[in-house]
Amino acid sequence: MSGQPMPCSPQEVASLFLFEKLAPEQLGRLCAAGRVELYQPGPVYTEGDPATCFYVMIEGTVVLSRRVGGDDVEVIRTSQRGVYSGAMQAYIRDRVRQVYNNSMRVTEPTRFFVLPADTFAEIMSEWFPMAVHLLEGLFFGTKSTQAAIGQRERLLALGSLSAGLTHELNNPAAAAVRATATLRERVAKMRHKLAVIAEGPFSREQLADLIEIQERTAERVAKAPVLSPLEASDREDALSDWLEGRGIDYGWQLAPTFVQAGLDIDWLEQVAAAVGEEILPGAVGWLNYTIETELLMNEIDDSTNRISHLVDAAKQYSQLDRAPYRVVDVHELLDSTLLMLSGKIGPRIGVVKEYDRTLPEIPAYPAELNQVWTNLIDNAVSAINDAGGDGTLTVRTALDHERLLVEFRDTGPGVPAEIRGRIFDPFFTTKPVGQGTGLGLDISWRIVVNKHHGTLQVESVPGDTRFQVLLPLTAETPEEAA
């Protein structure tokens, strides 16, 4: 949108703080190359359009806004003479895509001094060459530093996740190794016991009964009830007394295994009736090996399933072999991230999941959302640890005005009000030197706001800090998915 042309006065231009130190010939060149325009209430330029002009307000009121999701969020409203906006990075020329990074409108008739972007770039390079070099170095240096530290931030997160995953995998893997070694020993004893039974006074009918009881015992192991410690102790005492009453002196060793398998006195009475008193000790020993092998195989099965589950969670977290942009269930992403970070969360922090499972799937970049969850959970854990290490992390999902809410609530000391407006700034951190890069929340902000057109906000009081991610239920098709 263009304004109404008006006369340009070098004296008036000189009254603006941006130009107050310029020589008369420089002011004359500005008026010759630029122009004064009067804008009526309404838009001046729109965010994302090619940045063709540099604007300096002479008088009036301007409002600058940024596009967040489907809304224009006002960031500045001012009537101060000399404020400027527009093609402020024209001096970098085509090394950076020159677009307006905000939208500007005026709320009353407003006059601007307007300088074409190309002319602004030429004047800057000619009049202030050293300043241009310094500004270019600052601009590209900051971008390079941010990219390098952002990569470092990702590597640190990856290292933390790798350590947590290794810790989580070690426990079931070690359990499977122990169970396998014990199982090998028990199977060897079963072979020995089988040889003893074959040489013993067992009739063919008794052997058939014993085999049938063995099969039913194995089935019973799979259906063993879960007992409380007191119930298990009482049943062990009763089984031990029953076994010792029938001449089995090592009954106290067998009783815990039988109880774990769900056997009781009624079951042992059936065994005794089937095989006879004279061969009951051998039969009980044989059944004990059967039970132990079943329990060990169950332990191996549980351990390997746990390993498989962890590997699946790692694949889900990293989104290996997945499209970068697709429709996802945020609960799957949250669960995989919590599992990957379980080692870092530790046993002293309770994790509460308040999921609304009726929420629809949403289009998103799942790998990048997992990075957001990682950063927010890591910050929550650090906050709780700063408060003593004991606390609760609550992860909640809900529908919030046609948007999907993911909230991370911790019981840490909170974010002080004086820094709450800066926590999303690049390189801002409250952690000690060497413990934080200050890019976790900045990266999260850019992923949520810029890439998903959502909102990332924080509400905090001591003992209750809530980082809230609001994502649209539908989204425009991104460049990668177009």
Side-chain angles (χ1 to χ4, degrees):
M1 176 180 177
S2 59
Q4 175 186 347
M6 301 192 72
C8 179
S9 166
Q11 291 75 22
E12 188 174 47
V13 172
S15 69
L16 304 174
F17 65 82
L18 200 60
F19 308 122
E20 61 186 3
K21 299 295 184 181
L22 297 183
E25 60 271 16
Q26 291 175 318
L27 295 170
R29 181 176 174 183
L30 285 178
C31 266
R35 59 190 184 273
V36 173
E37 292 184 353
L38 174 66
Y39 283 81
Q40 298 301 321
V44 177
Y45 63 75
T46 303
E47 179 180 350
D49 287 348
T52 57
C53 294
F54 177 68
Y55 295 85
V56 185
M57 189 181 75
I58 299 174
E59 62 179 353
T61 301
V62 299
V63 176
L64 298 182
S65 61
R66 293 291 304 271
R67 191 74 171 171
V68 180
D71 302 319
D72 284 318
V73 179
E74 181 177 318
V75 292
I76 294 176
R77 179 185 292 260
T78 181
S79 299
Q80 181 182 351
R81 294 185 77 249
V83 295
Y84 53 89
S85 186
M88 293 186 295
Q89 294 172 349
Y91 59 88
I92 301 177
R93 299 184 185 270
D94 57 0
R95 283 177 290 173
V96 172
R97 184 167 173 254
Q98 297 290 335
V99 296
Y100 294 118
N101 60 12
N102 53 38
S103 296
M104 183 166 72
R105 61 187 174 89
V106 296
T107 59
E108 61 176 323
T110 301
R111 285 195 303 135
F112 290 97
F113 172 70
V114 184
L115 198 60
D118 291 341
T119 305
F120 177 48
E122 292 173 4
I123 288 176
M124 284 286 292
S125 298
E126 181 181 337
W127 292 354
F128 312 107
M130 183 176 177
V132 168
H133 287 307
L134 290 173
L135 288 171
E136 288 178 344
L138 177 64
F139 179 83
F140 289 109
T142 300
K143 285 177 69 73
S144 177
T145 301
Q146 188 166 345
I149 296 183
Q151 182 66 20
R152 177 64 175 170
E153 180 91 4
R154 293 180 177 90
L155 289 174
L156 289 173
L158 180 61
S160 176
L161 290 170
S162 298
L165 181 59
T166 301
H167 173 77
E168 291 296 318
L169 285 171
N170 182 65
N171 291 334
V177 170
R178 288 194 304 269
T180 301
T182 307
L183 179 61
R184 182 176 289 109
E185 177 188 343
R186 294 296 184 270
V187 170
K189 289 183 177 181
M190 282 188 72
R191 291 197 297 266
H192 175 71
K193 178 65 72 173
L194 182 60
V196 172
I197 290 175
E199 296 173 357
F202 292 86
S203 66
R204 179 173 296 180
E205 290 77 13
Q206 288 175 322
L207 286 174
D209 290 340
L210 184 59
I211 296 299
E212 194 270 336
I213 290 173
Q214 181 187 29
E215 292 296 327
R216 288 194 289 131
T217 301
E219 293 174 2
R220 196 177 181 95
V221 173
K223 302 175 183 178
V226 178
L227 303 176
S228 68
L230 183 60
E231 290 173 331
S233 178
D234 291 343
R235 186 171 291 188
E236 286 175 15
D237 291 341
L239 288 181
S240 180
D241 291 342
W242 187 93
L243 292 169
E244 290 178 3
R246 281 155 180 78
I248 303 174
D249 296 334
Y250 52 90
W252 60 274
Q253 294 177 310
L254 305 179
T257 303
F258 285 2
V259 170
Q260 188 179 356
L263 305 188
D264 52 21
I265 291 177
D266 291 341
W267 181 260
L268 292 180
E269 289 286 0
Q270 296 179 39
V271 174
V275 301
E277 291 290 338
E278 70 280 4
I279 61 173
L280 180 61
V284 167
W286 172 256
L287 291 178
N288 178 61
Y289 289 136
T290 299
I291 293 168
E292 285 186 332
T293 56
E294 288 294 322
L295 292 175
L296 288 168
M297 285 189 289
N298 286 346
E299 186 176 345
I300 293 171
D301 183 62
D302 290 341
S303 299
T304 52
N305 281 337
R306 172 68 173 166
I307 293 172
S308 177
H309 181 54
L310 286 167
V311 172
D312 287 343
K315 289 180 64 178
Q316 169 71 21
Y317 178 84
S318 63
Q319 294 294 306
L320 291 176
D321 304 324
R322 305 284 186 94
Y325 183 82
R326 61 188 181 87
V327 175
V328 296
D329 181 352
V330 294
H331 303 108
E332 292 180 358
L333 305 182
L334 291 167
D335 285 340
S336 66
T337 304
L338 287 168
L339 182 56
M340 295 293 290
L341 292 173
S342 58
K344 186 165 190 174
I345 293 172
R348 297 176 61 186
I349 298 177
V351 177
V352 177
K353 299 178 183 179
E354 297 179 356
Y355 291 170
D356 180 357
R357 295 286 186 178
T358 64
L359 292 174
E361 295 182 337
I362 62 170
Y365 295 88
E368 300 198 24
L369 284 183
N370 280 340
Q371 188 177 359
V372 174
W373 313 151
T374 299
N375 292 336
L376 297 182
I377 292 171
D378 182 70
N379 283 351
V381 170
S382 296
I384 294 173
N385 287 333
D386 290 343
D390 293 306
T392 302
L393 167 65
T394 303
V395 183
R396 182 171 72 94
T397 63
L399 191 64
D400 186 295
H401 299 93
E402 300 304 319
R403 293 188 295 179
L404 189 148
L405 166 69
V406 181
E407 180 183 80
F408 299 86
R409 184 167 73 244
D410 69 72
T411 56
V415 181
E418 60 270 20
I419 68 169
R420 208 168 295 161
R422 301 171 56 201
I423 59 174
F424 297 109
D425 293 347
F427 309 112
F428 179 79
T429 179
T430 59
K431 295 179 181 178
V433 175
Q435 294 186 20
T437 63
L439 282 179
L441 289 178
D442 171 56
I443 291 171
S444 300
W445 170 271
R446 284 187 280 117
I447 290 173
V448 172
V449 176
N450 296 342
K451 200 145 192 178
H452 289 87
H453 306 292
T455 303
L456 176 58
Q457 59 196 32
V458 61
E459 299 175 358
S460 183
V461 295
D464 186 0
T465 297
R466 307 182 184 203
F467 280 88
Q468 297 172 330
V469 178
L470 291 157
L471 299 169
L473 299 180
T474 59
E476 296 179 2
T477 303
E479 295 81 7
E480 292 84 348

